[in-house]
Amino acid sequence: AAGVIQSPRHLIKEKRETATLKCYPIPRHDTVYWYQQGPGQDPQFLISFYEKMQSDKGSIPDRFSAQQFSDYHSELNMSSLELGDSALYFCASSPRQGRTEAFFGQGTRLTVV
Amino acid sequence: GEDVEQSLFLSVREGDSSVINCTYTDSSSTYLYWYKQEPGAGLQLLTYIFSNMDMKQDQRLTVLLNKKDKHLSLRIADTQTGDSAIYFCAEDGGETSGSRLTFGEGTQLTVNP
């Protein structure tokens, strides 16, 4: 079965650079979530989209922005990167708004040096 | 996660049963989840339980929910070395925060041969 696809799997950036992470949800899933997992920590909710509109916002820094496109894929844009942004970034998708079981991608490991 | 708590470590012998415990705080959660994370990998949805149920069995997995005490547990029967991983419980936001998930800190399960 198709899963959530994230790219790239690994990314190394320098401080103050920008990064763009991409997420392709499971087909026919219209809700996308972004989570950040620091080393040895639990995943923290960043932001979610339903039908291309932002549906919820968590602890996402102002330096980050995200959007969902007409084909339902989503991108997380991160600017002015800091060392503390080094983490595993997960995208998840759900079948429809209100159904909360979320299926996660393999994540993008971002390292800021 | 500050609202969801788990013990950090559990060690069992192969063939024994494992019980991973979790307490949560949001009584309005609609669903509660168990995810498995192997080293360097994504979050795999293992099972979930609707908040008005008290038990769900799925092959080797049994989920028990005590809604009065806000206590959730995952029992893995006949634990195998391949079950070694970090197990996260998670609650959805229910009436307060909708479909975002709040995770516990994760329980590192080690299965010894």
Side-chain angles (χ1 to χ4, degrees):
Chain A
V4 176
I5 305 296
Q6 290 188 246
S7 68
R9 291 293 309 278
H10 302 274
L11 191 58
I12 300 175
K13 290 285 186 178
E14 295 187 356
K15 283 193 302 184
R16 293 180 287 278
E17 285 193 315
T18 61
T20 298
L21 278 53
K22 297 186 178 183
C23 168
Y24 297 86
I26 293 171
R28 290 181 294 282
H29 283 198
D30 53 21
T31 303
V32 167
Y33 309 84
W34 287 97
Y35 288 82
Q36 177 191 57
Q37 185 180 29
Q41 297 181 359
D42 54 284
Q44 296 290 315
F45 172 74
L46 293 178
I47 195 167
S48 64
F49 292 87
Y50 166 65
E51 284 292 343
K52 292 152 279 184
M53 299 287 289
Q54 180 182 308
S55 54
D56 193 8
K57 189 173 181 180
S59 50
I60 183 169
D62 292 341
R63 299 177 288 110
F64 295 5
S65 65
Q67 57 182 324
Q68 185 180 32
F69 295 86
S70 57
D71 63 352
Y72 295 102
H73 95 273
S74 179
E75 294 183 2
L76 177 66
N77 299 293
M78 311 160 71
S79 63
S80 302
L81 287 168
E82 302 173 357
L83 296 178
D85 297 328
S86 295
L88 201 50
Y89 289 84
F90 287 111
C91 173
S93 70
S94 287
R96 57 179 169 86
Q97 182 73 350
R99 287 281 301 277
T100 62
E101 72 261 39
F103 297 89
F104 282 73
Q106 292 299 298
T108 294
R109 184 170 296 282
L110 172 66
T111 303
V112 181
V113 297
Chain B
E2 58 189 40
D3 298 323
V4 182
E5 293 187 355
Q6 302 177 235
S7 51
L8 295 182
F9 302 99
L10 177 65
S11 182
V12 301
R13 290 178 61 174
E14 191 172 19
D16 288 351
S17 292
S18 307
V19 179
I20 302 171
N21 294 301
C22 171
T23 57
Y24 62 98
T25 57
D26 190 346
S27 59
S28 68
S29 294
T30 307
Y31 289 93
L32 295 123
Y33 300 85
W34 285 102
Y35 282 87
K36 175 184 179 183
Q37 186 175 34
E38 296 181 73
L43 292 158
Q44 175 192 354
L45 176 61
L46 286 178
T47 187
Y48 60 94
I49 187 167
F50 187 50
S51 58
N52 70 352
M53 296 173 62
D54 51 21
M55 188 183 91
K56 180 179 180 182
Q57 188 151 359
D58 185 358
Q59 298 182 333
R60 292 192 297 124
L61 305 178
T62 302
V63 179
L64 295 178
L65 175 60
N66 181 328
K67 197 169 182 180
K68 173 175 169 289
D69 294 337
K70 297 189 185 70
H71 182 265
L72 181 74
S73 69
L74 173 70
R75 179 178 180 269
I76 305 173
D78 187 25
T79 314
Q80 301 297 306
T81 54
D83 295 323
S84 293
I86 299 176
Y87 290 81
F88 290 96
C89 66
E91 59 174 354
D92 67 28
E95 295 172 10
T96 51
S97 302
S99 55
R100 69 164 74 176
L101 296 179
T102 299
F103 288 83
E105 305 97 323
T107 298
Q108 172 76 59
L109 173 64
T110 301
V111 182
N112 301 303

